[in-house]
Amino acid sequence: MDGRTGDDRYLRGLEALERQWDADREPDATPTSAPRPVPAAADPLWAATVPGAQAAPRPARAGAATAPAPAPAPRPVSPEVVGVRRSIRSTGPVVALILPAFLGAIAVMVERDSTSAGRGIGGFVLAMLAAPALPMAGVPLRTGTGVILVAVGASALLWLLIGVFAALRATRSGQPRWARFWGEYAWMLLAVWTGTAVGLLAANLVLGRSLL
């Protein structure tokens, strides 16, 4: 009887050890700690190492190409503006001849029957301002009707071209005006007259004061 009792205790002890061993081997159904939530947007380097993470969108660069903005619709041009622009471009070259022609007429009147040095120098200066091509033709060292006519024709062509350029510059804006034409014309006029004066002074010094 004592032997059976010891055997039963031994068997019950083995069964208890087996149950304890099986309980230790079963996985724990309850998680010890909750998983960390994955952020929706993260740094690109960190997101590459974590599954399910999304990289944050990069801000657009300052120099990055963007879609071009739609061009604004052109404004309708009024008939008055069109008429002023057409008038300046068509009559501007002819208007540019008015001042040189006026100075040339005064020079002819002053030089006619001139007997004093003052009238002679004044008429010469007015003639040079009206026809800047006269010094290039050799006047006053060369005389003759043919030389003077060629110089006057070349000067008239020069004033016409100046009128064309002044008209184009005055009408390139949205509000063409005759005041702008005269402003552009004045700058070119002063440039031509300055070049003529410098050329006369240089020729006078080179030729030993034979012109004045």
Side-chain angles (χ1 to χ4, degrees), residues 12 22 26 29 31 37 68 73 98 106 109 125 128 138 149 155 158 160 192 201:
R12 287 196 297 269
D22 294 338
E26 290 180 358
I98 295 177
I106 295 178
M109 295 175 60
V125 171
M128 292 299 162
L149 290 178
S155 300
L158 173 64
L160 285 173
V192 172
L201 292 176

Side-chain angles (χ1 to χ4, degrees), residues 15-211:
E15 292 177 356
L17 288 176
E18 289 180 358
R19 288 196 298 271
Q20 184 65 29
W21 177 259
D22 294 338
D24 293 338
R25 292 180 59 184
E26 290 180 358
D28 192 3
T30 60
T32 57
S33 61
R36 296 182 180 179
V38 178
D43 184 76
L45 296 178
W46 184 84
T49 61
V50 178
Q54 299 179 358
R58 296 182 179 179
R61 297 181 179 179
T66 57
R75 297 181 179 179
V77 182
S78 62
E80 296 180 358
V81 174
V82 175
V84 173
R85 181 182 289 110
R86 186 178 303 170
S87 175
I88 293 175
R89 290 186 178 182
S90 59
T91 62
V94 179
V95 173
L97 293 173
I98 295 177
L99 181 59
F102 178 72
L103 295 177
I106 295 178
V108 172
M109 295 175 60
V110 171
E111 289 289 344
R112 180 177 298 176
D113 299 332
S114 174
T115 56
S116 63
R119 292 183 61 181
I121 294 176
F124 175 76
V125 171
L126 291 175
M128 292 299 162
L129 295 178
L134 287 174
M136 292 185 293
V139 179
L141 298 180
R142 295 177 60 185
T143 59
T145 305
V147 174
I148 294 176
L149 290 178
V150 171
V152 170
S155 300
L157 180 61
L158 173 64
W159 294 122
L160 285 173
L161 293 176
I162 288 176
V164 171
F165 284 115
L168 291 177
R169 292 177 62 87
T171 57
R172 64 181 180 180
S173 62
Q175 295 295 331
R177 297 176 182 176
W178 277 104
R180 293 184 180 180
F181 170 81
W182 288 116
E184 299 290 344
Y185 176 74
W187 281 109
M188 298 181 190
L189 185 74
L190 292 176
V192 172
W193 284 354
T194 302
T196 303
V198 172
L200 286 175
L201 292 176
N204 189 42
L205 294 176
V206 171
L207 298 176
R209 298 182 181 277
S210 60
L211 297 178

